[in-house]
Amino acid sequence: MVERSGITTVLELYRASQVRVYEEENILERINDWTTKFLKQELQSNNILDKKLKEQVEFELKNFHGIIDRIGHRRNIELYVADDNQSSDVHNEDLQKFSRQDFNLCQAQHQKEFELLERWYYVDSKLDSMEYGRNVTRVAHILTSAMMADPELDHARAAFAKNIVLVTRLDDFFDYHGSREDSLKIIDLIREWKHPSSLTYSNEEVEILYTALYNTLTELAEIAYPIQGRDITNVLTHLASQ
């Protein structure tokens, strides 16, 4: 029978094996296979006597496709077991307090980001003035906040959320609302990539879509320049035209 510390170590190794940079990483794949089999065997053999640890292992194996960070953190706090000594009780109380503060701070930041996303949608891009198309700002915000919860990833969340909204609007226009000529016109405009004010448009909705895309990608390229050390506008426009 493996001691609690041994199970915990294998569980951490199992988690680490799921964090991969490249699609194929043979060493991590082998570690994942071994730790998965080991943990399942320990569960089936009833070798994990600690009830909380057993629940934690079951939860991790059940959600092998991945666990959203915030949900994982909450689950770990719920399963946190304090020792009987006073120092552990204090540590547990401090951990709970810190977790609540962290949650509230992140929620406040995400709320502010959602307000900025809606301002971009309604005021800056005027996408709501289009006759047809889905408004997925709320869905986009929830997805990006869940996938990239860390406070320092605010620019990444904003870029990803706007991309989801724009792709959805363009997809709806191409598939259901826009004419073939208007759809081809948007593609041509993206390939030419000129400032919106210097162009002529077949109708107002083509202008709204192209202007929103142009301004959003231009802003993203400006934000990325100090980090990338180069202008990525060509990369973004190439991706947009595909």
Side-chain angles (χ1 to χ4, degrees), residues 75-142:
R75 181 69 177 179
N76 289 337
I77 292 171
E78 290 174 347
L79 293 174
Y80 185 86
V81 180
D83 295 331
D84 293 331
N85 58 67
Q86 183 177 0
S87 61
S88 293
D89 292 336
V90 173
H91 178 70
N92 186 43
E93 183 180 345
D94 290 342
L95 179 62
Q96 295 279 358
K97 182 178 179 181
F98 172 78
S99 299
R100 287 193 296 269
Q101 290 176 343
D102 179 62
F103 176 82
N104 290 334
L105 287 173
C106 286
Q107 285 295 100
Q109 180 170 342
H110 291 169
Q111 179 62 37
K112 181 179 179 180
E113 290 172 6
F114 180 62
E115 292 172 358
L116 292 174
L117 180 64
E118 287 205 309
R119 176 179 175 81
W120 165 81
Y121 184 87
Y122 290 104
V123 180
D124 300 336
S125 300
K126 297 181 174 60
L127 290 168
D128 64 306
S129 62
M130 295 182 63
E131 182 178 347
Y132 182 86
R134 290 167 290 172
N135 177 2
V136 295
T137 52
R138 190 175 299 275
V139 174
H141 173 70
I142 292 173

Side-chain angles (χ1 to χ4, degrees), residues 167-180:
V167 168
T168 302
R169 274 293 186 176
L170 286 166
D171 184 65
D172 288 346
F173 185 82
F174 288 170
D175 289 347
Y176 303 110
H177 182 60
S179 65
R180 184 175 185 275

